């Protein structure tokens, strides 16, 4: 059984304290990252890692905005439209385009927020990436439904 050796020289101690990678256990060089990490960084065009508190706040803010837009889209699509269409009669004409627009806004916000999680090298970046992938599938289904509704109404 091997024991963990504490840094013995002042130089080793300052190097390990100054390196955020050493504290978080993530590789310093891109070539040391797992292939899946390198693929996602390439896909999202993430070149640099910035672990500042500002980037983490922006990532969480982007996540909240993306979820709020998706929530508004759901409220409009599944609550307001079914109630207002029979009452107003013509509101159905606007329902699909508004739904598509909100899906696009939610999608863009989702991409921006997932990029921020990766730029900040957030410890939960993979969990959020999978979560937003599920949200994208739901948005794609909703968008396809809205498009088919628009096409069938022509």
């Amino acid at each position: 059984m091997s024991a963990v050796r504490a840094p013995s020289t002042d130089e080793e101690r300052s190097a390990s304290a100054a390196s955020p990678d050493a504290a978080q256990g993530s590789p310093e060089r891109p070539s040391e990252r797992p292939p899946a990490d390198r693929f996602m960084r390439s896909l999202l065009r993430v070149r640099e890692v910035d672990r500042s508190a500002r980037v983490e706040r922006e990532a969480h803010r982007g996540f909240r905005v993306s979820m709020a837009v998706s929530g508004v889209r759901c409220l409009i699509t599944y609550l307001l439209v079914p109630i207002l269409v029979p009452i107003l009669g013509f509101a159905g004409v606007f329902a699909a385009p508004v739904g598509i627009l909100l899906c696009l806004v939610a999608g863009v916000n989702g991409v921006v927020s997932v990029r921020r999680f990766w730029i900040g090298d957030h410890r939960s970046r993979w969990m959020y990436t999978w979560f937003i992938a599920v949200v994208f599938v739901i948005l794609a289904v909703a968008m396809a439904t809205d498009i088919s509704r628009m096409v069938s109404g022509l």
Side-chain angles (χ1 to χ4, degrees):
M1 184 174 187
S2 64
V4 176
R5 184 179 70 83
S8 58
T9 66
D10 289 336
E11 193 174 283
E12 286 178 353
R13 278 191 293 273
S14 65
S16 66
S19 171
D21 292 325
Q24 294 189 0
S26 61
E28 291 182 18
R29 290 185 293 272
S31 61
E32 294 177 359
R33 293 189 180 277
D37 267 24
R38 289 195 308 265
F39 171 75
M40 283 304 298
R41 288 181 184 287
S42 172
L43 180 68
L44 295 169
R45 298 179 182 200
V46 172
R47 305 283 181 242
E48 298 177 9
V49 171
D50 181 0
R51 292 190 179 100
S52 67
R54 178 187 59 82
V55 171
E56 187 163 338
R57 279 192 311 271
E58 287 176 359
H60 286 280
R61 181 184 164 277
F63 170 73
R64 286 190 304 268
V65 168
S66 178
M67 293 301 101
V69 171
S70 290
V72 168
R73 182 201 60 79
C74 287
L75 284 173
I76 290 171
T77 303
Y78 302 116
L79 185 66
L80 292 179
V81 169
I83 293 171
L84 293 178
V85 167
I87 295 170
L88 300 177
F90 66 89
V93 175
F94 299 109
V98 168
I100 291 169
L101 178 67
L102 289 171
C103 283
L104 293 173
V105 170
V108 168
N109 280 321
V111 170
V112 168
S113 66
V114 80
R115 280 193 82 244
R116 287 181 180 149
F117 272 82
W118 281 87
I119 288 170
D121 210 16
H122 195 277
R123 69 180 185 277
S124 300
R125 65 187 177 272
W126 276 108
M127 182 176 60
Y128 178 71
T129 301
W130 285 110
F131 174 77
I132 203 69
V134 170
V135 171
F136 286 164
V137 168
I138 293 167
L139 290 173
V141 169
M143 213 158 128
T145 303
D146 287 340
I147 289 171
S148 69
R149 192 180 315 150
M150 278 180 50
V151 171
S152 68
L154 295 178

